Amino acid sequence: MLGIETTAPTFGAERAWLVAARRCLAVVLLGVVPVCLIAFLLADLGNHESDFATFWQSGRDVLHGHSPYPALHTLPRHAAPTSFAPFVYPPLAAVAMIPLSVLPYNIAVFLFIVVDLAAVALALRLLGVDDWRCYGAAYASAPVYAATGLGAISPLLLLGVAALWRYRNRAIVAGTLVAAVATAKVFLWPLWLWLIRTRRFAAAAVAAVVACAAVAGTWAAIGFAGAREYPTLLGRLTSLVGPESYSPYALGRSLGLGGGSAQGVAYLVAALAIAVAALALSDAGRLLTAAIAISLIATPILWPHYLVLLFVPIALARRSFSPLWLAPVALWLDSAAWSTGSTARIVALLAIAGATLGAAVRRVSAPRPV
């Protein structure tokens, strides 16, 4: 009895110390570190090139009646990560940037980065996440830092997909959201298949009509400049930077496959994923995770900041903090923006993304009522 009485307080004290240590570690890693990253990001805005510069210039081009698209003959033979940033988005993106393009660049980029940062938090909120540690993990992750640092639209795509889930049972809203994200980034077209597979046919019809009207209307607004050459432009972009990215296409190229063969393999894998999802999955949450996975598989150009989309399946799987939330943080192990065709780099990123999606699709919880 005496031995028990003397060791019990010691055990209790050790346990309390471990709990306190874990709490301190959580505060540092998921509270202090994200705040420091955001502060550094905002302080360093004017010291590097960003994707936003391309968006800002595209809005100015449209505003002054010029085509935002580069002439095909001006594209280089080899793309450099520090200087190659042509505008290759559908014209809707250029038109949407007009309000910011009338502002001085430094003010516009600051506002856009703030919007990007806010979009991440709002997306998690729409997905039903209320654990502060989840927000800290998101802001501490490499994809969110890369996306906001570059002034990319990936956080806005994350917000669009999160809103799609939140308002999935409202046909007009859901259809418009799918049209918006798919016309902003074409690789998200599998979200339309998600509407079909989950029998949201009215939303699918709205998405098709809105997307066609938006693309045709905005292209008409710029006199259809670049419309005829646009498919060729996308093909040239794929050949220039696709092998430098982290896509399955880039992996095939790094292993010695030709461009057509590498993309054919990626499409085959995506088709198999579509078939498996259609046959083996039934609930909307797992199907949305599968649609995101298919989008990432099929795109020939996959940059690390695209992986902010992983927070949708993560949030659907775990609305409170779990180790799954740290998977995108692990991408800091190699945070290079371009893979430079390194097989090891590409495999590492795809392995983390694949493991995250696989874990999420197994753990997606029942959807909350809307």
Side-chain angles (χ1 to χ4, degrees):
M1 291 293 293
L2 184 61
I4 296 176
E5 291 174 357
T6 56
T7 57
T10 302
F11 175 76
E14 290 178 350
R15 184 174 181 181
W17 182 87
L18 288 173
V19 170
R22 289 178 61 184
R23 288 177 178 173
C24 289
L25 185 62
V27 169
V28 171
L29 294 182
L30 303 176
V32 176
V33 169
V35 169
C36 290
L37 287 173
I38 292 172
F40 177 78
L41 185 70
L42 294 175
D44 195 49
L45 284 180
N47 297 327
H48 61 274
E49 295 293 330
S50 71
D51 283 6
F52 179 74
T54 302
F55 289 120
W56 181 77
Q57 185 58 49
S58 73
R60 290 173 65 84
D61 287 338
V62 171
L63 191 62
H64 292 91
H66 303 145
S67 171
Y69 297 105
L72 293 176
H73 71 272
T74 64
L75 296 178
R77 292 186 177 182
H78 303 285
T82 58
S83 60
F84 185 73
F87 182 79
V88 294
Y89 295 82
L92 180 63
V95 173
M97 285 293 162
I98 290 177
L100 287 176
S101 70
V102 300
L103 299 175
Y105 177 77
N106 288 339
I107 295 176
V109 69
F110 176 82
L111 292 176
F112 191 77
I113 297 305
V114 170
V115 169
D116 264 356
L117 291 169
V120 174
L122 182 54
L124 297 185
R125 185 63 183 169
L126 288 173
L127 291 166
V129 177
D130 53 16
D131 189 332
W132 71 269
R133 296 170 297 177
C134 300
Y135 290 79
Y139 285 112
S141 70
V144 168
Y145 184 83
T148 52
L150 288 170
I153 64 171
S154 297
L156 299 178
L157 300 178
L158 168 65
L159 176 59
V161 178
L164 168 63
W165 175 254
R166 176 66 179 82
Y167 301 109
R168 60 193 178 276
N169 292 329
R170 302 182 186 181
I172 294 177
V173 176
T176 301
L177 287 168
V178 168
V181 297
T183 52
K185 273 290 190 180
V186 181
F187 81 92
L188 287 172
W189 62 265
L191 293 176
W192 189 80
L193 295 181
W194 176 78
L195 293 176
I196 296 294
R197 178 62 181 83
T198 57
R199 303 184 67 82
R200 290 172 167 82
F201 300 122
V206 170
V209 171
V210 171
C212 291
V215 172
T218 51
W219 230 313
I222 63 173
F224 293 97
R228 180 180 299 177
E229 298 83 8
Y230 191 66
T232 304
L233 176 63
L234 293 182
R236 288 288 302 278
L237 182 71
T238 295
S239 64
L240 281 169
V241 300
E244 309 290 340
S245 72
Y246 291 84
S247 62
Y249 167 82
L251 177 60
R253 294 299 303 272
S254 75
L255 295 174
L257 294 179
S261 298
Q263 193 57 58
V265 171
Y267 285 154
L268 177 60
V269 174
L272 290 174
I274 291 173
V276 170
L279 295 174
L281 303 178
S282 58
D283 65 276
R286 288 185 173 89
L287 285 167
L288 184 58
T289 296
I292 293 172
I294 293 163
S295 298
L296 298 177
I297 291 170
T299 179
I301 301 173
L302 174 61
W303 301 120
H305 61 80
Y306 288 12
L307 297 186
V308 298
L309 292 168
L310 291 178
F311 286 109
V312 173
I314 290 173
L316 293 181
R318 289 289 184 267
R319 291 187 177 90
S320 59
F321 184 77
S322 77
L324 187 60
W325 282 90
L326 295 176
V329 179
L331 292 167
W332 277 112
L333 295 173
D334 185 359
S335 57
W338 286 35
S339 72
T340 63
S342 169
T343 302
R345 278 181 170 172
I346 298 169
V347 168
L349 182 139
L350 291 178
I352 292 174
T356 304
L357 289 163
V361 80
R362 290 194 299 270
R363 300 174 184 176
V364 169
S365 55
R368 294 180 179 180
V370 178

